[in-house]
Amino acid sequence: MIQSVLVANRGEIARRIFATCRRSGIGTVAVFSDADALGPHVTEADAAVRLPGNSPADTYLRGDLVIEAALLAGADAIHPGYGFLSENAEFARAVHDAGLTWIGPPAPAIEMMGSKVESKKLMAAAGVPVLAELDPDAVTEADLPVLVKASAGGGGRGMRVVRELADLPEQLEGARREAQSAFGDPTVFCERYLETGRHIEVQVMADRHGTVWAVGERECSIQRRHQKVVEEAPSPLVEAVPGMRERLFEAARLAAKAIDYEGAGTVEFLATGRADTDGGDFFFLEMNTRLQVEHPVTECTTGLDLVDLQLEVASGLALDADSPAVSGHSIEVRLYAEDPAQNWQPQSGPVHRLALPGTAVEFDVLRTPGIRLDSGVVDGSTVGVHYDPMLAKVISFAPTRTQAATRLATALGRTQIHGLRTNRDLLVNVLRHPAFLAGDTDTAFFDTHGLDVLAKPLASVETERLSALATALADAAHNRDVATVDSTLPSGWRNLASAPQSKTFTGTGGDVEIRYLLTRYGLKAEGFDDVSLVSATARHVALDVAGLRRSFEVSRYGDDVFVDSALGPVSLHAAPRFTDPSAVVAEGSLLAPMPGSVIRLGAAVGDAVTAGQPIVWLEAMKMEHTIKAPASGVLTELSVTAGQQVDVGTVLAVVEAAQPEGES
């Protein structure tokens, strides 16, 4: 039996695997890059080995260093998690050759599924329905729209939708660059793009004795940039279409048996139809020869610990003849450090606090209704630019789908997330959307229902104003706490008050100016005639708002303020009383929205540019981000070169806007 496991991964999935190992009495070994030296997965392991460097190519993708680390630490098995080396057949062979147990499928199975081009041919021969592959050089108008896909990868990287034939060459080039960067293989192909398809996948588990389980299906149709955002089990579509589950399970078992599969894997399909209509045709997309990010929803609806099953299968144990029954409903959302309203722009920086309300199970199977948290960060963690910006997975389990969605939306809405901008508001809005609750979820969900609507802040403008008032009052209480003289007097007290106290905060809706006086008769705040102060400390403020008592918890980190209340989460920035002239940038400046590497320039100084024209391409978190001209005019300054690393806020270029005709 396995005694000690090295996890060749980082963050949330490393912590998840370690949790099962600890419950099973198995030792744990971590590997870490320099950027992850203080990461929670490192401190939680029994032993940890440094992989020098920061980039995946220098660290987590170095199979030779990972195997050396396992041997050094005395581990007898390696679990690859997902991503990085998890679907690398050469690495699987090297692990075996080093005398270690590989917790995954046989190398030949990984190899056969490693190429999306070849795997489709194999599946078609096995009787699994597939979408035809298209040669990128032979795509015609009649084939549009098409999806460009990286043959060696997943996770949305190297994928582009092309609707105009003229755009195909540029999109192919960009997809190849992303694929090379993320997977070390620039090979791409095309297939017909189904605008409103449903992403349905089947979890399989197979042992080396010939038993193959189709454990259950998941629906992962709500995606951004072809990367899953919301996942659930079972699928509302499959539930609604008679006989579809049986057909899906049979296709998944055929796929696994065709390659003599062992261990946990996922067979992914693109399905047609709606939950309220007939349909249910499906086509093989790919087989992920590893554990999936969304495996917790299957665990919660089956009671299985899939990582524990992986360990047992890798040790040679046999599965029962029949897979367990499915009950209840589970929904998982991926909490990302990103700004959906700004084209999903990834964020980097500190995570001051991440706390769910009540008691949440961490990295364990929910056997009763509740909330589970699988997180790669803890309070004080820093999100860098080298890896995927996912902070955590939040999972609900309940008897019905509606209960699971409601429970998850409420928990997310009341979670304290301090530090980075995240997609939390979007996730809650999706979970509460009538179309989602009706099971009408396809891959065009964001386009259909409007990203501007779905990304709308949970807190209203009025809530933001109340939160700013609460912050001003909390600041006043803090000032009294630290005052060295007259600490019993109200902040800003005067014998004859001539002007109210004034503080300005910047929120999502712009600047909010708070003007107030604390008098012997109570609070007098301009624009808040129906608001009175109940109590105020540096952290907690209670206000009576038109007869309703509201509580606000105020957390301040420098000039950044996070206010949590039942009305919705609010983030504010305290505006300085005086502007630093050195912080003012020229009008028309293009600022780096995140730290990253400049990979390409689209214009030179002196060029005439048009509004929306790409000027600089940045790579951050293994994705390309285009910085465009804010207006038509002339590029008067270009401050960066290809290959240069830049920090957030760096001035990349300056565009001097063209003057309207007739002006001089």
Side-chain angles (χ1 to χ4, degrees), residues 11 101 106 137 144 161 192 208 231 238 311 343 345 364 382 413 440 470 510 519 536 549 567:
T101 298
D137 296 326
L144 299 175
V161 177
R192 181 164 60 96
R208 66 186 59 171
E231 302 114 336
V238 176
L311 295 171
N343 196 30
Q345 191 177 98
D364 201 1
T382 297
D440 188 10
T519 73
R549 184 169 294 189
L567 294 173

Side-chain angles (χ1 to χ4, degrees), residues 114-296:
S115 165
K116 292 183 175 62
V117 174
E118 296 305 315
S119 65
K120 286 195 171 190
K121 295 176 182 176
L122 185 62
M123 291 298 101
V128 180
V130 301
L131 276 174
E133 174 206 346
L134 300 173
D135 182 346
D137 296 326
V139 172
T140 67
E141 288 281 356
D143 297 318
L144 299 175
V146 296
L147 182 63
V148 180
K149 299 179 72 173
S151 179
R157 296 177 177 89
M159 295 179 71
R160 310 290 180 93
V161 177
V162 179
R163 293 184 171 84
E164 299 290 337
L165 202 58
D167 296 336
L168 184 59
E170 181 181 353
Q171 295 301 325
L172 284 170
E173 181 184 351
R176 286 172 178 136
R177 283 196 304 269
E178 279 189 357
Q180 175 64 42
S181 175
F183 314 116
D185 183 350
T187 306
V188 299
F189 67 99
C190 296
E191 67 185 17
R192 181 164 60 96
Y193 180 61
L194 300 182
E195 295 277 6
T196 56
R198 308 277 290 240
H199 187 113
I200 313 292
E201 59 190 34
V202 179
Q203 175 72 58
V204 296
M205 180 66 71
D207 63 23
R208 66 186 59 171
H209 309 288
T211 299
V212 178
W213 284 357
V215 182
E217 89 280 349
R218 300 183 286 257
E219 179 153 347
C220 314
S221 298
I222 297 181
Q223 305 178 2
R224 61 100 166 98
R225 288 180 169 174
H226 311 292
Q227 191 169 38
K228 303 161 190 173
V229 177
V230 181
E231 302 114 336
E232 58 182 311
S235 158
L237 175 64
V238 176
E239 290 274 274
V241 179
M244 185 176 179
R245 178 168 291 120
E246 290 73 15
R247 291 187 290 120
L248 272 170
F249 283 11
E250 177 59 21
R253 283 190 289 262
L254 282 174
K257 290 178 178 179
I259 58 173
D260 295 323
Y261 199 76
E262 292 178 21
T266 300
V267 187
E268 301 195 352
F269 300 94
L270 191 63
T272 61
R274 295 164 54 95
D276 57 355
T277 64
D278 292 334
D281 291 335
F282 56 85
F283 306 93
F284 173 84
L285 281 177
E286 61 185 347
M287 184 173 183
N288 294 131
T289 52
R290 54 173 169 79
L291 197 66
Q292 290 280 90
V293 178
E294 57 274 19
H295 75 274

Side-chain angles (χ1 to χ4, degrees), residues 369-399:
I371 297 293
R372 166 177 168 174
L373 175 68
D374 285 18
S375 175
V377 300
V378 295
D379 293 358
S381 292
T382 297
V383 176
V385 300
H386 302 288
Y387 315 111
D388 186 274
M390 188 175 76
L391 300 176
K393 305 179 309 197
V394 188
I395 307 106
S396 66
F397 174 62

